[in-house]
Amino acid sequence: MTSTSGIADAVRFRAGNKVADIDPSATPGFRGSKADAATVLPERSDRLAGLQEMLYASWKGGDKRSILLVLQGMDAAGKGGIVKHVVGAVNPMGVRYTAFGKPTAEERAHHYLWRIWRALPPAGHIGVFDRSHYEDVLVVRVHNLAPPAVWNARYDEINAFERELVDAGTTLVKVAMFLSLDEQRKQLLERLDDPTKHWKYNPGDIDERLKWPQYQEAYQAMLDRTSTDYAPWHIVPANRRWYSRLAVTELLIQALEALDLSYPLADFDVEAERRRLLSS
Ligand code: AMP
Ligand code: MG
């Protein structure tokens, strides 16, 4: 009941998958309960932390590769929880986290990928994008912040951009988190009910919520047009937070395992160093 080996494959977006068919309460690839997930997560988090350390160590040994986790999802989908709980399990030394909000005046003066370039993970690191360049085909599309011809051209441009990243040694782990409209209401209500959560609440979230169908459409186009063999999307149901956390943990483990990492060999004589140390 606690096998997690089927999750990564089960959440991979496949051509023809429809956003309207997603069950936000499902737990694809995992047959266990919340309690089962709690049993298995510590071990999987340790595995992730171990692999991340090896990525970092490989870089010290000259490896230039990196990972980029891209998190997209509506407000209260749990992006922050992924950062806190999943990414939080690894050594912060090797993480480069960036949240992308409404572009600043400086950012607006540049190409939309400018701020993305600047936030890319250095070699040996795991980059985490809490929202991303995909906002430029999501919120921008839904709110007509740019003419259709402009955002329409971005899908191909994003694919070309990601191709470059992959060719330069970055593995992209793209995660689209889907919660239901009801679950979002519940989550937003919790924020309103708890003064210590007011900082997470934004009155504008309601305006986004009212555009749910338009967002569904924009997410569908994003998945259809930017899920590539070199940088595929993953659809992670997000009503059950214990599941989405386990799923993203598995996706990161899979991406790191595929790098076939190993610790770099010492570039000094270990025995000679031992002798020097003991006689010092
Ligand atoms: P949050 O992630 O809750 O802090 O909210 C960030 C807000 O910034 C969201 O409402 C996003 O839709 C918005 N945002 C992010 N990127 C862009 C963009 N490129 N253009 C306009 N709004 C954006
Ligand atoms: Mg928000």
Side-chain angles (χ1 to χ4, degrees), residues 7-235:
I7 294 178
D9 187 58
V11 297
R12 186 171 171 139
F13 173 80
R14 290 183 168 75
N17 284 167
K18 296 296 170 212
V19 167
D21 296 338
I22 297 169
D23 173 2
S25 293
T27 62
F30 188 69
R31 292 170 169 280
S33 62
K34 178 176 181 175
D36 294 327
T39 308
V40 74
L41 189 60
E43 184 261 316
R44 301 308 284 160
S45 296
D46 280 354
R47 172 71 179 148
L48 175 59
L51 285 162
Q52 183 255 347
E53 184 180 85
M54 228 191 288
L55 176 70
Y56 197 83
S58 303
W59 165 57
K60 295 284 184 180
D63 197 320
K64 297 282 186 286
R65 293 175 298 174
S66 60
I67 301 275
L68 176 58
L69 174 65
V70 173
L71 298 171
Q72 283 294 157
M74 298 294 286
D75 295 299
K79 301 183 293 294
I82 296 293
V83 174
K84 181 173 171 179
H85 297 280
V86 177
V87 181
V90 312
N91 190 334
M93 197 163 68
V95 173
R96 173 99 203 269
Y97 167 81
T98 312
F100 293 98
K102 222 167 151 302
T104 61
E106 187 187 27
E107 288 168 349
R108 272 201 313 277
H110 289 86
H111 188 268
Y112 70 97
L113 291 176
W114 179 75
R115 64 178 184 166
I116 304 298
W117 274 110
R118 290 161 48 100
L120 290 173
H125 288 64
I126 297 181
V128 179
F129 282 3
D130 181 341
R131 302 187 190 269
S132 66
H133 41 300
Y134 285 102
E135 290 293 325
D136 291 281
V137 291
L138 292 168
V139 65
V140 168
R141 171 178 169 142
V142 168
H143 286 275
N144 302 308
L145 302 179
V150 170
W151 53 252
N152 226 335
R154 289 179 177 167
Y155 298 98
D156 289 344
E157 191 174 31
I158 287 172
N159 288 338
F161 165 67
E162 292 185 352
R163 176 82 250 181
E164 271 182 63
L165 296 187
V166 170
D167 289 346
T170 300
T171 301
L172 274 91
V173 179
K174 302 196 293 192
V175 174
M177 301 173 69
F178 287 91
L179 86 170
S180 66
L181 202 48
D182 277 354
E183 181 63 25
Q184 191 200 41
R185 176 186 280 128
K186 197 179 131 219
Q187 293 291 338
L188 293 178
L189 260 180
E190 275 179 25
R191 290 181 184 182
L192 286 176
D193 289 345
D194 180 350
T196 70
K197 289 188 176 174
H198 287 174
W199 64 275
K200 291 192 199 184
Y201 186 85
N202 172 1
D205 293 353
I206 310 292
D207 304 304
E208 300 309 301
R209 191 176 150 76
L210 291 169
K211 297 211 176 268
W212 200 267
Q214 290 94 320
Y215 269 107
Q216 297 273 102
E217 216 177 285
Y219 269 94
Q220 183 73 54
M222 175 192 86
L223 295 168
D224 290 339
R225 297 181 65 180
T226 63
S227 200
T228 55
D229 55 347
Y230 52 88
W233 273 106
H234 299 88
I235 294 177

